[in-house]
Amino acid sequence: MCEDDSTERRRISVVGVLGDRWDALGERAVARVAEAELVGGGARLLRSLDGAAARGLLGSPRRGRGVDAPKVDLVLGIDHLVSELERARCRACVLASGDPGFFGIVRKLGARLGAGRLEVHPGPSSVAVAFARLGLPWDDVAVVSAHGRPLGAAADAARRALGRGARAAVLCSPGQPPEAVATAVGDVAAEGVVCSRLGCDDESVTRLSLSEIAAGRWDGLSVLVLEPARPAGGTRSLCWERMEPPAGTSVVTPAGTPVGAPAVGAGSPTPQASLRWGLADTGFAHRDGMVTKAEVRAVVLSKLGLPSGPDPVMWDVGAGSGSVGIEWARLAPSGRVIAIERDPAGAARIAANASAHGVEVGVVVGEAPEALGGLPTPAAVFVGGGGLAVLDAVLVAAPPGTPVVAAYASLDHAAQGGNRLGSLTQVAAARGVQLPGGHWRLEGTNPVFVAWGSAPGERDT
Ligand SMILES: C[S@@+](CC[C@H](N)C(=O)[O-])C[C@H]1O[C@@H](n2cnc3c(N)ncnc32)[C@H](O)[C@@H]1O
């Protein structure tokens, strides 16, 4: 037992070390390790502590302290560690990898012992160091843990990030090493970098295709960085390839380069991966101009939003070309879109448009509102066709609070849609068309009314 006062006895120091980089610890963290009367941690770090002491990095060893203190190996479980910490009530130190507050032991210790008892000395996270080795920023990376979590869920999250053009970093583990993660992520257009044993003498950083990683054997102490594959030509931007603006529209980047201009050439910087919405109308096959125009679609999508729950379902009722549902599917990769369209030829067009945009959309051929019966419960609904009877049916069928958006060309329908949903706006875009001689004129698109709100919480019976 400690002889010191109760505060000292209640405090648990949690010290993060990346690999064997004990020399990177701050003075105070070193002191906490050296003076500890009980040391907990995984077997690798407990062994590494011996090495650090032998190299003289923890000062002169004191009897019963630091490297000479009793050890609790985390292999016996967090409950065992916690009960030993409570029983000993002495200066205790728990060793953890990297930043212990980042997918680390701080969460579990805090939940059991109270955050106020922890004094955390973070080291650099393995993910930070992996991206440092690659010379890349990581503030836009999806970090996913496969450490003690289901592999399928980690792989799904990584695929979702890749699908929206972002990098993913997967924390691997001995039970779920890089080859298992790469296999689970499967056949996606991505490259991987296996960053193993960072901060150890035998650190390695290896870039390969996903199938090569899947076929290899790797150390579990790894971060697997996944990058969306670069299409031929060197750009990895989804939008650059698919996102020509509508003919004659002038969209200018802050640097003054017109989007769609051949900016991606020799010597020009590679644009960052990004996800856009309000895609060009020309990307959707349609009948007689029956496509929700890009500017209107952008507003509609903003009002629909992206539900936060798992596997949300979106209804695109009176889907026409399917453009709204297809764009929503691109933005919500874990979601499921059901397009309802009465015209069988239109339904086939929706399926073809969806496949051209790399998303799946379920198409129900039928007349709303009857065709809405039996569909999975929606988390968002767009009513692009079918009139007020369809909107009324949607407001009854959708759970309270579900975002509902409707688009109307006619003023009287718009007013009634606004009455039901509570909000109404008009979108009238004037697109720039260039004249001979470099002058511009504006060409108006048909004004469209967008009504939006939520399915009601209480209904009159
Ligand atoms: C429970 S997580 C802890 C993450 C840690 N808190 C951090 O900030 O790096 C454990 C996983 O982190 C990664 N990791 C920890 N140390 C590493 C190292 N030295 N090199 C590569 N990956 C490491 C591995 O994916 C390992 O399985």
Side-chain angles (χ1 to χ4, degrees):
M1 294 277 276
C2 286
E3 318 97 38
D4 304 323
D5 69 11
S6 60
T7 314
E8 189 98 338
R9 275 183 266 132
R10 285 177 55 75
R11 184 186 63 216
I12 316 282
S13 303
V14 186
V15 174
V17 183
L18 189 72
D20 297 322
R21 290 296 316 278
W22 293 86
D23 53 339
L25 294 194
E27 229 171 78
R28 200 170 163 125
V30 171
R32 291 296 186 228
V33 179
E35 73 193 14
E37 294 163 296
L38 182 77
V39 180
R44 197 196 70 76
L45 276 171
L46 293 177
R47 275 197 310 276
S48 178
L49 173 70
D50 290 339
R55 282 185 282 150
L57 295 173
L58 301 174
S60 324
R62 286 174 63 193
R63 222 186 142 142
R65 305 260 174 131
V67 68
D68 194 38
K71 306 291 184 309
V72 183
D73 191 327
L74 253 176
V75 79
L76 299 174
I78 186 86
D79 291 334
H80 176 70
L81 172 64
V82 168
S83 69
E84 288 299 295
L85 291 169
E86 291 292 51
R87 197 170 59 80
R89 286 275 166 151
C90 62
R91 292 186 179 106
C93 175
V94 175
L95 304 176
S97 65
D99 179 346
F102 187 66
F103 293 99
I105 201 164
V106 163
R107 175 167 283 113
K108 284 182 176 164
L109 286 182
R112 286 170 170 80
L113 298 166
R117 287 184 61 189
L118 306 183
E119 183 186 280
V120 182
H121 298 269
S125 165
S126 53
V127 181
V129 172
F131 281 93
R133 297 293 186 258
L134 299 175
L136 292 170
W138 63 290
D139 48 13
D140 54 353
V141 163
V143 182
V144 179
S145 179
H147 193 101
R149 290 164 205 224
L151 188 55
D156 282 349
R159 267 195 304 271
R160 277 201 296 276
L162 294 167
R164 59 171 194 270
R167 294 190 176 95
V170 186
L171 294 167
C172 302
S173 66
Q176 300 187 149
E179 60 268 32
V181 174
T183 304
V185 169
D187 190 18
V188 295
E191 291 178 345
V193 187
V194 183
C195 304
S196 295
R197 303 184 59 77
L198 297 166
C200 302
D201 288 343
D202 52 354
E203 165 178 322
S204 65
V205 175
T206 315
R207 179 184 287 275
L208 289 170
S209 70
L210 275 198
S211 54
E212 287 168 318
I213 293 169
R217 287 289 163 270
W218 306 94
D219 197 299
L221 192 66
S222 296
V223 175
L224 175 60
V225 174
L226 298 169
E227 300 204 84
R230 292 159 191 252
T235 167
R236 75 172 83 89
S237 166
L238 284 175
C239 50
W240 224 261
E241 292 188 327
R242 293 189 188 152
M243 289 294 307
E244 326 83 320
T249 303
S250 168
V251 185
V252 178
T253 64
T257 315
V259 172
V264 187
S268 62
T270 301
Q272 289 298 301
S274 66
L275 190 56
R276 300 224 176 151
W277 54 97
L279 303 184
D281 303 341
T282 48
F284 300 95
H286 51 84
R287 177 178 59 90
D288 304 332
M290 299 286 277
V291 57
T292 305
K293 299 293 180 291
E295 296 85 349
V296 178
R297 226 181 303 124
V299 172
V300 166
L301 289 164
S302 79
K303 305 301 180 198
L304 284 172
L306 301 174
S308 54
D311 308 327
V313 170
M314 184 266 194
W315 292 356
D316 183 353
V317 189
S321 69
S323 65
V324 172
I326 288 167
E327 285 227 48
W328 193 90
R330 288 179 82 247
L331 296 169
S334 71
R336 190 149 56 104
V337 172
I338 301 177
I340 298 99
E341 172 56 48
R342 65 179 169 202
D343 171 23
R349 214 176 284 124
I350 294 166
N353 281 336
S355 127
H357 283 86
V359 294
E360 275 184 37
V361 167
V363 188
V364 172
V365 187
E367 183 92 32
E370 295 73 25
L372 304 179
L375 296 184
T377 307
V381 184
F382 174 59
V383 181
L388 293 164
V390 172
L391 178 59
D392 287 336
V394 163
L395 291 176
V396 170
T402 305
V404 177
V405 183
Y408 299 103
S410 86
L411 191 52
D412 44 349
H413 278 165
Q416 296 191 56
N419 284 342
R420 284 159 172 79
L421 292 168
S423 300
L424 182 67
T425 191
Q426 187 219 45
V427 183
R431 293 177 174 176
V433 178
Q434 204 157 20
L435 297 166
H439 301 289
W440 289 86
R441 70 177 176 81
L442 292 176
E443 187 173 271
T445 56
N446 282 340
V448 173
F449 298 94
V450 177
W452 77 96
S454 307
E458 291 174 7
R459 307 182 202 291
D460 299 332
T461 50

